[in-house]
Amino acid sequence: MKTLRDIGEDALIARLLGKIPASDLRVGPGDDCAVVDDGRGPLRLLKTDAIVEGVHFLREAAPAKVGWKAVARVISDFAAMGGRPRHLLVTVALPADLEIRWAEGLYRGIGRCLEAWGGQLAGGETTAVPEGGPVMVSVAGEGVVDRRHCVGRRGGKPGDVLAVTGALGGSMRGRHLSFEPRLAEGERLARGGARAMMDLSDGLAKDLPRLAKACGCGFEVAREAIPRSRGVTIEAAISDGEDYELLAAVEPRKWDRLVLDWPPELAPLQAIGRLVESGGTLAGGWEHFTS
Amino acid sequence: MKTLRDIGEDALIARLLGKIPASDLRVGPGDDCAVVDDGRGPLRLLKTDAIVEGVHFLREAAPAKVGWKAVARVISDFAAMGGRPRHLLVTVALPADLEIRWAEGLYRGIGRCLEAWGGQLAGGETTAVPEGGPVMVSVAGEGVVDRRHCVGRRGGKPGDVLAVTGALGGSMRGRHLSFEPRLAEGERLARGGARAMMDLSDGLAKDLPRLAKACGCGFEVAREAIPRSRGVTIEAAISDGEDYELLAAVEPRKWDRLVLDWPPELAPLQAIGRLVESGGTLAGGWEHFTS
């Protein structure tokens, strides 16, 4: 009998989406966010994401950091479209034997993250899981983005400069629980020439091919140009995952101006390669279901 | 050490919401849906909800029914405001040892429910849970409602007629996996005089006091008037939970017209009592965390 482990995440999602009727959204399932066009005003972004104990965090983690991470991941997806958060919905599934203090810490972290990045809690749901089951936090939200500067995954063209914010790798030493979504960086990129963008959650080795494929392109990467966290090998920087940095494909004639004007208070922007007609591999990356 | 079991769901939610900054939504956390007012056009409804294996369904259940239920619960919340679904986001957490066929059935049910009730899939997320962990489906969504006919939980007044749709009790024999959200009924109630409304998920005994409290009222109920599913005692009809029928408080001078004009193809509408100044108890109801 075939199980999920046998096919892996991307194949699973492709297979499952076939079970659901198509929609008339401007951007539907498969991008960082869905995009709703109400015909006027800013575009609205819709996104849902979940973290699960034993997969994305351990019970020993500080609960406030777990709450922060759950919200920050969704805000990172808004950043990856050039947008910002507006209303968030938080569903928390908790085993009945969980300490109240842990649950309170979790909500404190959720609140802190909303406050720090400008989202509003619009609603929530608390449900039980069977005793011994994992804590799970599912966050859904609505963001907004200027309709002239909404960047999906598909717009990149051969020749575009591939760039990443910040430094990659080593996130599991702690940063995966306390990262800062790249909101200002995403907006700057969207206004400064990014034609395709995503946030790096499964590692560059897995996410870059996704971006290139969505653009109908291949890619070339100068591995030694990849910005690394302190004490991290190139291999780890490519493969570790949970960086929540932005990966963008920038129109070549806009690249110089973007770099010259890049505010020093933002996370640094680093070119790592470019989109090409076809080809490109990068070994590594994180796979949810296969072992 | 205090655990969630010691305090119960309502107290937990009240305690946890204190950890999160307040918002400027027209209706925020605590109602069936949050309500966003963009200043013009219909109001937007935001809602999230989750179902968990071992709590809301068993692995032996038909997966298509589980998918149906996950979506139908959120649509039922839109119905409870007088609204209808627009865009939905579905997060599915699956153990790696799950059969692909089960996951496919789940998505088929999600798709069927969206198709049947007019919602669009705007996005989704698939994540792993540790082996042996529960399947969990979290659905978030956006609905719309006419701004003149949006019904929350708080508007009921002493003297209002309390009414329910359909029949209560016995849902665990199967209906909890295949119920039909009361969209047409909710819209009819909202346009026909309902001043407060909610859907019944935890049983009348638990949900009616919530509605009355939100209205600052008490309640009186004629227990024998409560419409029961076939073969169900009054006790079970009051306590079973998972009915997903609507409970409404209707302005008294509009009640007769509402009943006279009630279309026969809708689920029947039955008066069961009224809101009063104060007081009222109804034993029973479902509590998620206490045992």
Side-chain angles (χ1 to χ4, degrees):
Chain A
M1 202 84 78
K2 262 200 167 177
T3 71
L4 302 187
R5 193 184 291 106
D6 300 321
I7 60 172
E9 190 179 4
D10 287 350
L12 173 68
I13 290 172
R15 196 159 161 170
L16 296 180
L17 282 179
K19 309 286 169 199
I20 291 180
S23 92
D24 64 0
L25 294 163
R26 183 155 159 173
V27 175
D31 215 309
D32 291 280
C33 300
V35 180
V36 178
D37 185 349
D38 292 324
R40 62 198 307 280
L43 299 174
R44 289 189 299 109
L45 305 171
L46 299 176
K47 177 64 190 183
T48 185
D49 184 71
I51 61 173
V52 180
E53 179 184 348
V55 178
H56 304 92
F57 65 92
L58 301 173
R59 183 78 61 92
E60 297 75 64
K65 289 191 173 183
V66 173
W68 174 283
K69 175 176 182 170
V71 173
R73 276 166 60 106
V74 170
I75 294 178
S76 179
D77 283 310
F78 295 140
M81 309 289 287
R84 57 184 191 281
R86 196 170 164 208
H87 297 115
L88 281 94
L89 301 160
V90 179
T91 297
V92 178
L94 304 169
D97 57 340
L98 188 76
E99 282 176 42
I100 292 172
R101 276 202 346 217
W102 205 97
E104 288 186 325
L106 181 75
Y107 274 75
R108 198 157 40 235
I110 289 168
R112 270 186 206 148
C113 192
L114 288 168
E115 210 158 25
W117 302 102
Q120 284 193 338
L121 185 78
E125 167 78 6
T126 310
T127 186
V129 296
E131 206 160 311
V135 172
M136 182 152 357
V137 186
S138 174
V139 178
E142 174 189 65
V144 287
V145 62
D146 184 304
R147 65 172 55 233
R148 292 162 308 167
H149 299 111
C150 176
V151 183
R153 287 193 186 177
R154 298 175 198 177
K157 297 198 167 67
D160 280 3
V161 177
L162 289 169
V164 296
T165 61
L168 308 186
S171 181
M172 292 315 290
R173 293 181 310 208
R175 213 182 74 87
H176 76 107
L177 286 172
S178 59
F179 69 91
E180 305 201 334
R182 299 305 191 190
L183 277 178
E185 291 79 0
E187 197 174 350
R188 193 96 197 173
L189 278 159
R191 290 170 186 273
R195 298 202 273 207
M197 192 152 63
M198 69 185 296
D199 70 331
L200 294 169
S201 55
D202 292 339
L204 190 66
K206 203 147 174 66
D207 288 331
L208 172 53
R210 286 176 178 153
L211 185 88
K213 187 178 174 194
C215 296
C217 293
F219 60 88
E220 287 175 1
V221 167
R223 293 166 62 95
E224 60 287 352
I226 294 169
R228 293 179 269 157
S229 305
R230 193 170 305 176
V232 163
T233 65
I234 292 182
E235 287 312 318
I238 290 173
S239 309
D240 277 358
E242 301 240 39
D243 294 309
Y244 305 105
E245 296 292 349
L246 297 180
L247 167 67
V250 179
E251 196 178 343
R253 67 183 180 86
K254 296 192 174 167
W255 173 255
D256 286 351
R257 173 56 47 197
L258 182 68
V259 171
L260 280 170
D261 292 347
W262 193 257
E265 65 273 21
L266 300 191
L269 184 67
Q270 172 69 50
I272 60 166
R274 58 193 184 109
L275 290 179
V276 297
E277 292 290 342
S278 63
T281 55
L282 206 56
W286 179 255
E287 174 60 64
H288 277 294
F289 289 102
T290 58
S291 44
Chain B
M1 203 83 79
K2 262 198 169 181
T3 72
L4 302 188
R5 193 183 290 105
D6 301 320
I7 61 171
E9 191 179 5
D10 287 351
L12 173 69
I13 291 172
R15 197 160 160 172
L16 296 178
L17 282 179
K19 309 287 169 199
I20 292 180
S23 93
D24 64 2
L25 294 163
R26 182 155 157 174
V27 174
D31 215 311
D32 292 281
C33 301
V35 180
V36 178
D37 185 350
D38 291 324
R40 63 198 305 279
L43 299 173
R44 289 190 298 107
L45 305 171
L46 299 175
K47 177 64 190 184
T48 184
D49 185 70
I51 61 173
V52 181
E53 180 185 348
V55 178
H56 303 93
F57 65 91
L58 301 173
R59 184 77 61 93
E60 296 76 63
K65 290 192 172 182
V66 173
W68 174 283
K69 176 176 183 169
V71 173
R73 275 166 61 106
V74 170
I75 294 178
S76 179
D77 283 311
F78 295 141
M81 309 289 286
R84 58 184 190 278
R86 196 170 164 208
H87 299 114
L88 280 94
L89 301 160
V90 179
T91 297
V92 178
L94 304 170
D97 57 340
L98 188 75
E99 283 176 42
I100 291 172
R101 275 204 346 218
W102 205 98
E104 289 187 324
L106 182 75
Y107 274 75
R108 199 156 41 235
I110 289 168
R112 271 187 206 149
C113 192
L114 288 167
E115 212 158 23
W117 303 103
Q120 285 193 338
L121 186 77
E125 167 78 8
T126 309
T127 187
V129 297
E131 206 159 312
V135 172
M136 181 152 358
V137 186
S138 174
V139 178
E142 173 188 66
V144 286
V145 61
D146 185 302
R147 63 173 57 234
R148 292 161 306 166
H149 298 112
C150 175
V151 182
R153 287 192 185 178
R154 296 175 199 176
K157 297 197 167 68
D160 280 4
V161 177
L162 290 169
V164 296
T165 60
L168 309 186
S171 181
M172 293 314 291
R173 294 182 308 210
R175 212 182 74 86
H176 77 106
L177 286 172
S178 58
F179 69 91
E180 306 201 332
R182 299 305 190 191
L183 277 179
E185 292 80 359
E187 198 173 349
R188 193 95 197 175
L189 278 159
R191 290 170 185 271
R195 298 202 275 206
M197 193 151 62
M198 71 186 295
D199 71 332
L200 294 169
S201 54
D202 292 339
L204 190 67
K206 206 151 170 66
D207 288 331
L208 173 53
R210 286 176 179 152
L211 185 87
K213 189 180 173 191
C215 296
C217 293
F219 60 87
E220 287 174 1
V221 167
R223 294 165 62 95
E224 61 287 352
I226 295 169
R228 293 179 268 160
S229 306
R230 193 170 304 177
V232 162
T233 65
I234 292 183
E235 287 312 318
I238 290 173
S239 309
D240 277 357
E242 301 239 40
D243 294 309
Y244 304 105
E245 296 293 349
L246 297 179
L247 167 67
V250 179
E251 196 177 342
R253 67 184 180 84
K254 296 192 175 167
W255 174 255
D256 286 350
R257 173 56 48 195
L258 182 68
V259 171
L260 279 170
D261 291 347
W262 194 257
E265 68 271 21
L266 300 191
L269 184 68
Q270 171 71 48
I272 61 166
R274 57 193 185 109
L275 290 178
V276 296
E277 291 290 344
S278 63
T281 56
L282 205 57
W286 179 255
E287 173 60 65
H288 277 295
F289 289 103
T290 58
S291 45

